[in-house]
């Protein structure tokens, strides 16, 4: 039966609980245990699908079509375990479920309350589908003491009581700030945070103390004494030079050993960390570097393109090169051809990522044109692929007013909304003016690739499955016209209706994909498209 590790955060937000959970899971996995990580988000949105990337960073999409918190991306990248809908729950979803049941009369006249109804729902969520696992790590979003997270903390308290200490563990992540004027690390905020958690009925077993400077032994002892944990279970967590160094670093500080010991499990063996050592070796000793221009809309916040950023890094790992990403604001830069050339000429490759809305689209289309004409490697993802098709229509097929219906009414909807498509469950239907939440083509869909295409060579296969998140599609009616202009449709949905991949055989590397390959890339298994794209950028860097 699975053991549960609950991860809470204190003092401040942004301590990197998600990375911490992912790293601990990776360490347990490296010891042969089967793991799964879950995220509880206390906000009231049913899922993050309708939130601006500026609010909460990117929306991570799972194979089963859930729109989830970006931490699930870390979980997958660190463990290789595919996340599922059931791995992310928000207060909004829990309340939605409860209120629907209440309206149906399922509570048979009872008063519906936070305790026990909300807390029971949280407990059920934590325990669902965990029979085949050794460890379930549950990360609680927010900071202990927030009003919003109280039901989650209460549910954990109850679970610890019900399942017993042998099957549950509390890891609390805190901050030990450095006060420059005093030249000291301060433990008081940690003490207060642990006091807050204990007042809610949870005594932490392991403390993970984020700090910018090494934690002196006497401060470690002080935290242990005041917070009622073993000194060895006060784990210093210094800032790491790379997120992929975190598992190795936490292992060196004894985190996995303390966790196993707290469960009464044998911790004498050594985990197999060769996968992480190889990644760090590649990252620390690059044999070259490339600069990739990403022309997007949400360039002001790195988290908005989290998975993309990581997938490009993975492409660099595959080629042993450092990838510098030059974020270019599509809206601001495209005033004139000369300005576009000045911004893009230094780039070894150009990528137009996914996005929503018209803003910046002309800049993205201009970037596609530049990459096509100058023979610079080009990768278009989702909206980026749609922009590549509009560019092709306008500039190589003579359809000068080609556009997307996402940007308003158009006579030439090269990209348009789809209201019907096939899935394994049968025909899916959407209304044009329907709700924005959960109305997209979401999750894993198969595609068939043309045998001799560039993408089939890259994948080493003609059958692939990739994750989708979009409302609009390239209209297959324009296929012949675009192919005449040199843009080949080399990947289609299995029924042949929906374009999935376009490429240019007359170009060194020009690929547009309707899906999000970045979501499936791992540091230890870089996605083939990203590995190949970075390789093309490297070739380009040798030309200029
Ligand atoms: N806005 C486009 C659509 O909905 C593309 C979405 C995306 O890039 N993820 O189809």
């Amino acid at each position: 039966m699975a053991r549960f590790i609950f991860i809470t955060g204190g003092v401040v937000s942004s301590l990197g609980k998600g990375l911490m959970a992912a790293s601990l899971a990776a360490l347990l996995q490296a010891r042969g245990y089967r793991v799964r990580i879950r995220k509880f988000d206390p906000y009231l949105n049913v899922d993050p699908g309708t939130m601006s990337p500026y609010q909460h960073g990117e929306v991570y999409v799972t194979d089963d079509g859930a729109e989830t918190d970006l931490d699930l991306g870390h979980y997958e990248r660190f463990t290789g375990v595919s996340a599922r809908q059931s791995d992310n729950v928000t207060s909004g979803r829990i309340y939605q479920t409860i209120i629907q049941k209440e309206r149906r009369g399922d509570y048979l006249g009872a008063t519906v309350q936070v305790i026990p109804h909300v807390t029971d729902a949280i407990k059920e969520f934590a325990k669902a589908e965990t029979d085949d696992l050794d460890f379930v790590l549950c990360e609680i979003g927010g900071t202990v003491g927030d009003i919003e997270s109280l039901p989650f903390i209460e549910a954990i308290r109850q679970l610890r009581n019900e399942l017993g200490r042998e099957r549950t563990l509390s890891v609390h992540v805190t901050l030990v700030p450095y006060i420059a004027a005093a030249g000291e690390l301060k433990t008081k905020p940690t003490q207060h945070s642990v006091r807050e958690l204990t007042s809610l009925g949870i005594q932490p077993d392991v403390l993970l103390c984020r700090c910018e400077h090494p934690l002196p032994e006497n401060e470690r002892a002080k935290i242990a004494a005041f917070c009622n944990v073993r000194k060895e279970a006060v784990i210093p967590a210094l800032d790491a030079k790379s997120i992929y160094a975190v598992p190795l670093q936490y292992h060196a500080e004894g985190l996995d050993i303390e966790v196993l010991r707290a469960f009464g499990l044998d911790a004498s063996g050594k985990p197999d960390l060769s996968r992480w050592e190889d990644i760090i070796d590649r990252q620390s000793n690059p044999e070259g570097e490339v600069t990739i221009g990403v022309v997007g809309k949400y360039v002001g916040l790195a988290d908005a393109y989290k998975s993309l950023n990581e997938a490009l890094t993975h492409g660099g790992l595959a080629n042993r090169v450092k990838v510098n990403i030059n974020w270019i604001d599509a809206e601001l830069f495209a005033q004139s051809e000369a300005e576009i050339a000045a911004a893009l000429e230094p780039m070894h490759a150009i990528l137009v990522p996914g996005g929503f809305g018209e803003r910046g689209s002309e800049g993205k289309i201009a970037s596609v044109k530049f990459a096509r004409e100058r023979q610079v490697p080009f990768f278009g993802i989702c909206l980026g692929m749609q922009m590549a098709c509009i560019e092709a229509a306008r500039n190589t097929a003579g359809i000068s007013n080609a556009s997307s219906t996402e940007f308003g009414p158009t006579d030439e909807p090269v990209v348009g909304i789809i209201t019907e498509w096939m899935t394994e469950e049968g025909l899916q239907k959407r209304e044009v003016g329907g709700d924005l939440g959960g109305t997209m083509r979401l999750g894993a869909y198969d595609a068939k690739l043309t045998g001799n295409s560039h993408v089939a060579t890259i994948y080493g296969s003609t059958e692939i499955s990739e994750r989708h998140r979009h409302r609009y599609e390239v209209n297959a009616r324009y296929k012949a016209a675009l192919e005449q202009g040199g843009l080949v449709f080399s990947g289609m949905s299995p029924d042949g209706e929906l374009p999935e991949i376009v490429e240019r055989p007359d170009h060194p590397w020009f690929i547009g994909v309707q899906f999000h390959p970045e979501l499936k890339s791992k540091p230890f298994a870089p996605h083939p498209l990203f590995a190949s794209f970075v390789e093309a950028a490297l070739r380009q860097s040798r030309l200029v």
Side-chain angles (χ1 to χ4, degrees):
M1 214 185 232
R3 296 176 173 82
F4 291 83
I5 301 176
F6 300 106
I7 298 153
T8 51
V11 185
V12 293
S13 58
S14 307
L15 285 177
K17 282 197 306 283
L19 267 179
M20 187 270 140
S23 300
L24 175 56
L27 289 177
L28 293 169
Q29 204 181 36
R31 288 174 175 272
Y33 292 111
R34 294 160 305 172
V35 298
R36 180 167 284 283
I37 320 177
R38 296 199 150 146
K39 175 92 195 265
F40 302 91
D41 278 309
Y43 51 72
L44 288 178
N45 301 61
V46 171
D47 62 41
T50 53
M51 273 193 249
S52 156
Y54 276 124
Q55 286 283 313
H56 231 73
E58 87 175 354
V59 174
Y60 189 77
V61 181
T62 59
D63 276 334
D64 62 1
E67 297 181 279
T68 69
D69 187 81
L70 59 75
D71 274 329
L72 274 80
H74 288 313
Y75 305 165
E76 267 205 49
R77 283 188 285 275
F78 277 69
T79 63
V81 175
S82 293
R84 300 190 290 230
Q85 170 88 62
S86 54
D87 292 328
N88 188 199
V89 78
T90 66
S91 294
R93 185 177 297 280
I94 289 184
Y95 278 95
Q96 187 189 45
T97 317
I98 289 175
I99 290 166
Q100 277 166 356
K101 275 170 106 178
E102 187 274 334
R103 290 290 85 185
R104 277 201 307 266
D106 290 1
Y107 292 107
L108 306 173
T111 309
V112 184
Q113 294 179 296
V114 173
I115 302 171
H117 299 100
V118 171
T119 45
D120 279 355
I122 295 170
K123 288 193 286 182
E124 259 166 51
F125 162 75
K127 289 192 287 188
E129 300 169 46
T130 55
D131 287 345
D132 57 343
L133 298 169
D134 297 309
F135 289 101
V136 182
L137 291 85
C138 298
E139 178 195 345
I140 291 83
T143 308
V144 165
D146 293 350
I147 290 177
E148 291 191 321
S149 61
L150 284 174
F152 292 95
I153 305 284
E154 169 60 15
I156 297 174
R157 187 194 66 73
Q158 294 180 16
L159 265 180
R160 296 200 81 192
N161 194 36
E162 289 161 24
L163 299 174
R165 286 303 178 94
E166 331 71 68
R167 282 191 52 209
T168 59
L169 185 88
S170 159
V171 177
H172 190 53
V173 188
T174 75
L175 177 71
V176 181
Y178 178 74
I179 305 295
E184 282 176 5
L185 287 166
K186 292 293 180 190
T187 65
K188 195 74 84 189
T190 297
Q191 296 175 37
H192 280 301
S193 178
V194 171
R195 189 173 304 161
E196 179 84 37
L197 190 59
T198 353
S199 75
L200 299 169
I202 297 174
Q203 165 64 50
D205 303 288
V206 175
L207 293 178
L208 201 69
C209 303
R210 293 294 311 275
C211 42
E212 281 172 51
H213 293 271
L215 189 62
E217 279 305 299
N218 61 331
E219 298 299 317
R220 203 175 169 189
K222 195 156 123 193
I223 295 175
F226 280 111
C227 300
N228 218 11
V229 295
R230 287 156 36 83
K231 184 170 156 224
E232 294 73 26
V234 178
I235 311 281
L238 267 94
D239 296 344
K241 60 178 191 305
S242 149
I243 57 170
Y244 300 122
V246 174
L248 294 171
Q249 192 172 317
Y250 286 2
H251 171 66
E253 297 288 1
L255 176 64
D256 46 329
I257 293 174
E258 277 312 308
V259 166
L260 293 178
R261 189 179 288 167
F263 277 118
L265 294 166
D266 176 27
S268 56
K270 280 216 160 303
D272 175 8
L273 296 172
S274 50
R275 154 190 281 198
W276 299 102
E277 283 153 4
D278 178 51
I279 292 166
I280 294 307
D281 176 54
R282 285 168 181 269
Q283 209 164 29
S284 314
N285 307 297
E287 289 163 7
E289 61 185 281
V290 296
T291 301
I292 294 178
V294 177
V295 184
K297 189 163 94 170
Y298 318 105
V299 293
L301 179 75
D303 271 0
Y305 297 112
K306 189 80 207 159
S307 294
L308 178 68
N309 194 14
E310 294 311 314
L312 285 168
T313 303
H314 305 162
L317 293 174
N319 292 281
R320 281 195 174 267
V321 295
K322 178 167 187 286
V323 176
N324 302 311
I325 304 179
N326 203 319
W327 302 101
I328 300 171
D329 188 335
E331 193 181 23
L332 297 182
F333 98 118
Q335 307 297 338
S336 68
E337 293 250 339
E339 196 190 358
I340 291 164
L344 296 181
E345 265 164 10
M347 302 301 133
H348 303 133
I350 295 165
L351 191 152
V352 177
F356 291 83
E358 186 177 17
R359 201 151 56 78
S361 57
E362 290 306 321
K364 293 173 194 176
I365 293 169
S367 308
V368 179
K369 179 164 185 273
F370 177 93
R372 174 176 61 79
E373 291 178 342
R374 302 284 194 101
Q375 301 270 299
V376 178
F378 170 81
F379 197 0
I381 295 179
C382 207
L383 185 69
M385 179 243 201
Q386 299 174 355
M387 296 300 100
C389 292
I390 292 175
E391 193 280 330
R394 287 187 191 172
N395 302 324
T396 70
I399 309 170
S400 58
N401 50 349
S403 187
S404 166
T405 56
E406 182 175 7
F407 309 154
T410 168
D411 296 338
E412 298 287 0
V414 170
V415 180
I417 199 150
I418 49 155
T419 48
E420 289 188 2
W421 68 91
M422 280 308 284
T423 67
E424 278 169 15
E425 287 91 49
L427 190 67
Q428 297 281 314
K429 281 183 191 262
R430 298 283 187 267
E431 281 170 33
V432 174
D435 281 355
L436 284 188
T439 56
M440 286 190 268
R441 184 148 83 102
L442 283 167
Y445 282 86
D446 293 339
K448 282 205 165 24
L449 314 187
T450 312
N452 55 0
S453 60
H454 190 191
V455 280
T457 314
I458 293 172
Y459 274 99
S461 171
T462 54
E463 285 182 15
I464 61 165
S465 166
E466 292 280 6
R467 295 184 195 165
H468 291 246
R469 180 175 186 249
H470 54 107
R471 201 167 278 122
Y472 300 84
E473 303 277 350
V474 173
N475 190 333
R477 268 204 299 127
Y478 290 90
K479 182 167 182 263
L482 299 192
E483 289 198 330
Q484 283 248 306
L487 188 73
V488 171
F489 286 51
S490 53
M492 298 292 286
S493 57
D495 62 5
E497 296 285 330
L498 303 174
E500 290 277 3
I501 304 179
V502 293
E503 64 183 48
R504 287 194 175 275
D506 61 354
H507 188 286
W509 208 103
F510 189 107
I511 293 173
V513 297
Q514 185 57 75
F515 44 82
H516 289 276
E518 71 273 23
L519 300 176
K520 295 216 314 195
S521 189
K522 318 272 188 301
F524 42 82
H527 192 288
L529 284 173
F530 283 91
S532 173
F533 180 57
V534 172
E535 190 187 8
L538 190 60
R539 275 199 300 274
Q540 179 74 10
S541 74
R542 294 184 179 134
L543 294 179
V544 290

